[in-house]
Amino acid sequence: MQTILYYVQQIPNFPAKYHTLTAQLISAIVFIALLFLLAKVFTFVCNNYLSRLVKFFKAEKWFNALTEKKFFTALGIVIAAMAAIDFHPIFISENIDWITLVMEKLTGMFVLFSLSYLGFTILNTLDKLYGRNPKVPIKGVVQVCKIILFLVTVLFFISLLLGRKPLYIITGLSALAAVFSLIFKDPILGFAASIQLTMNNLIKIGDWITVDSAGADGNILDISLTSVRVQNFDMTIVSVPTYDLISKPFKNWSGMYEAKARRIQRSILIDIDTVKFLDKEMLARLKKIDLLKDYLAGKEKEITEFNAQHNVHESLLNGRHLTNLGTFRHYAEEYLKSRPYITQKDPGFTLMVRQLPPNSQGIPLEVYCFVNTTVWTDYEGLQSDIFDHLLAVLPEFGLYAYQQPSGRMLAKFVNK
């Protein structure tokens, strides 16, 4: 500053009362130009030399993320901002109050925004590396940190403009707390929900979830502060509010993939009119089936002994007798056990064929088991194979599946 003032004073015929003002303006311009030059030099050094340290440690993943998010550029600007604090007293004197005040505030803003920019680049880098981590997605946490950093930056910016301490500004803004709580209602709720979802490991990127209230049934693409993006199996994308996954029920299918098994739970509706006791002819025919041979022999012996003990003769209403439905139910269970793709070693994977309460359409005979695949197409194929077989063998047991009359069936009846 003094050097510039000396040369200004040497200008001939220049009014003396403007010497200090002119020298201060020139010094401020030189100061700004120097900061611009320092920022260029330091960003060049950081991008071309300091970044090599990351490569030296073979952290290629980090190097690519830091470069893409311009971390080294931001670091160079911060170094220039730190230099601005040291150079400020050299170029800016206190001879002219308003210029000094303006330059102090500009310097302070330059330091504040450069540090804020560096903070955002660090958060963006973390989001790039771990924001979509399937195990612990931190995108929601990163977004909260960005909001906090933004609010802190705004707070210090207002503090610089007004020349007041940040605590004073906070006290003044306390009256607006209710307004801010309304403005940031969704982020606050989303932040609380994202912490619960992450800490309890309820969802992660790639999970198949079903949220009936939102029409979501597909894989999670992204978990952010306020929403979870789900790509449905029809390729549509649904945005589910993060808080809804805490306040409303949803289904996560990840346990199915971890167990490497998927459940089959489907019923065959048996026509009630076809349910009857086994006669001797049908019993003789069913004994030829390998899956029923031992079962029928054991049951026949057990029933004969029971009926003999209780003096039961010809009446079907007395004593015990085999039915075609009960025999078919046992056959279905044995058939499932004989299939190599049915999971049955673990007791947690239940295998049974059960009879549900009759309804207006017949008797539901439910197949409940697990197949050893989670691939959708394979699962559907195996499920279809099971029911193809069971439906095809029903007539062998004198049973028929319930089916509502169609126009073709009615036409045949009329023609008769």
Side-chain angles (χ1 to χ4, degrees):
M1 168 62 185
Q2 297 300 324
T3 303
I4 295 174
L5 179 60
Y6 171 77
Y7 284 106
V8 170
Q9 290 173 345
Q10 304 304 314
I11 300 175
N13 301 323
F14 192 76
K17 63 179 181 179
Y18 295 120
H19 285 176
T20 303
L21 176 60
T22 304
Q24 185 66 85
L25 289 173
I26 294 174
S27 180
I29 294 172
V30 172
F31 177 61
I32 293 173
L34 177 62
L35 290 183
F36 180 78
L37 179 62
L38 286 174
K40 285 288 186 181
V41 171
F42 286 128
T43 52
F44 176 80
V45 171
C46 290
N47 278 298
N48 292 277
Y49 297 98
L50 188 60
S51 61
R52 293 181 182 178
L53 288 176
V54 182
K55 277 190 171 182
F56 176 77
F57 290 105
K58 297 181 179 179
E60 192 69 24
K61 181 180 177 181
W62 274 90
F63 173 78
N64 293 333
L66 291 170
T67 303
E68 179 182 341
K69 299 304 177 181
K70 302 186 183 303
F71 168 79
F72 298 109
T73 300
L75 183 61
I77 295 174
V78 168
I79 296 174
M82 296 299 103
I85 298 175
D86 294 330
F87 290 148
H88 184 273
I90 299 174
F91 288 90
I92 308 299
S93 68
E94 298 181 357
N95 294 330
I96 302 176
D97 293 339
W98 69 271
I99 292 181
T100 303
L101 181 63
V102 170
M103 292 307 297
E104 284 179 351
K105 292 187 181 298
L106 289 177
T107 303
M109 289 178 188
F110 177 55
V111 174
L112 174 63
F113 289 132
S114 62
L115 289 173
S116 179
Y117 179 43
L118 178 63
F120 276 109
T121 59
I122 293 173
L123 292 174
N124 288 333
T125 301
L126 292 175
D127 184 41
K128 171 73 176 178
L129 292 172
Y130 304 108
R132 291 176 56 82
N133 189 321
K135 295 183 178 179
V136 185
I138 64 168
K139 184 171 184 178
V141 177
V142 169
Q143 289 179 326
V144 171
C145 292
K146 285 183 178 181
I147 292 175
I148 294 173
L149 180 58
F150 173 77
L151 293 176
V152 171
T153 303
V154 171
L155 175 63
F156 278 93
F157 175 73
I158 296 174
S159 176
L160 281 172
L161 285 181
L162 299 180
R164 298 281 188 172
K165 292 182 178 180
L167 185 60
Y168 176 85
I169 306 299
I170 293 174
T171 304
L173 291 175
S174 60
L176 299 176
V179 177
F180 278 108
S181 64
L182 289 175
I183 294 174
F184 295 104
K185 176 186 174 183
D186 289 339
I188 292 172
L189 291 176
F191 174 57
S194 63
I195 289 178
Q196 293 183 58
L197 291 172
T198 302
M199 296 301 293
N200 296 323
N201 197 27
L202 296 179
I203 59 172
K204 58 183 180 293
I205 303 295
D207 279 359
W208 170 16
I209 65 171
T210 302
V211 188
D212 294 331
S213 60
D217 184 20
N219 297 322
I220 297 177
L221 293 178
D222 188 35
I223 303 173
S224 66
L225 178 61
T226 56
S227 65
V228 175
R229 292 174 62 238
V230 179
Q231 184 171 44
N232 289 337
F233 295 120
D234 61 359
M235 306 311 291
T236 58
I237 296 177
V238 178
S239 180
V240 183
T242 308
Y243 184 70
D244 280 3
L245 297 180
I246 297 297
S247 61
K248 298 178 181 178
F250 74 95
K251 183 183 291 185
N252 189 334
W253 296 81
S254 60
M256 177 189 70
Y257 291 105
E258 293 172 3
K260 298 180 181 179
R262 186 171 178 182
R263 183 182 67 178
I264 293 177
Q265 186 178 12
R266 182 181 290 185
S267 300
I268 298 175
L269 290 170
I270 304 297
D271 191 335
I272 295 178
D273 290 340
T274 61
V275 179
K276 58 185 177 181
F277 291 111
L278 292 183
D279 55 27
K280 293 182 179 180
E281 181 183 349
M282 183 179 293
L283 182 60
R285 187 174 73 251
L286 294 179
K287 282 182 179 180
K288 298 178 181 179
I289 301 174
D290 290 338
L291 294 177
L292 289 176
K293 189 182 301 181
D294 295 336
Y295 168 77
L296 290 176
K299 277 293 181 181
E300 189 176 22
K301 180 180 178 182
E302 177 185 333
I303 291 173
T304 301
E305 291 176 354
F306 177 88
N307 291 339
Q309 289 176 1
H310 293 80
N311 197 26
V312 177
H313 298 290
E314 298 298 328
S315 177
L316 293 175
L317 300 180
N318 299 320
R320 295 174 57 188
H321 302 278
L322 288 172
T323 65
N324 58 349
L325 181 58
T327 305
F328 174 73
R329 181 170 56 81
H330 182 80
Y331 170 82
E333 282 189 3
E334 292 300 318
Y335 173 76
L336 292 174
K337 291 177 182 178
S338 68
R339 300 299 92 185
Y341 49 77
I342 297 297
T343 302
Q344 48 190 313
K345 293 181 180 179
D346 192 325
F349 298 117
T350 304
L351 189 157
M352 65 177 175
V353 179
R354 61 174 180 166
Q355 189 180 130
L356 300 180
N359 54 47
S360 60
Q361 296 178 326
I363 302 176
L365 197 67
E366 184 182 78
V367 172
Y368 192 103
C369 62
F370 291 82
V371 293
N372 60 2
T373 181
T374 58
V375 180
W376 191 5
T377 53
D378 295 344
Y379 164 79
E380 293 294 347
L382 295 176
Q383 182 173 233
S384 298
D385 288 344
I386 291 172
F387 282 90
D388 287 349
H389 178 82
L390 295 180
L391 288 169
V393 300
L394 273 177
E396 295 296 321
F397 294 81
L399 296 168
Y400 291 94
Y402 173 84
Q403 178 176 294
Q404 289 185 345
S406 64
R408 179 175 57 82
M409 295 172 64
L410 293 175
K412 286 183 177 181
F413 179 77
V414 172
N415 291 334
K416 289 181 180 180

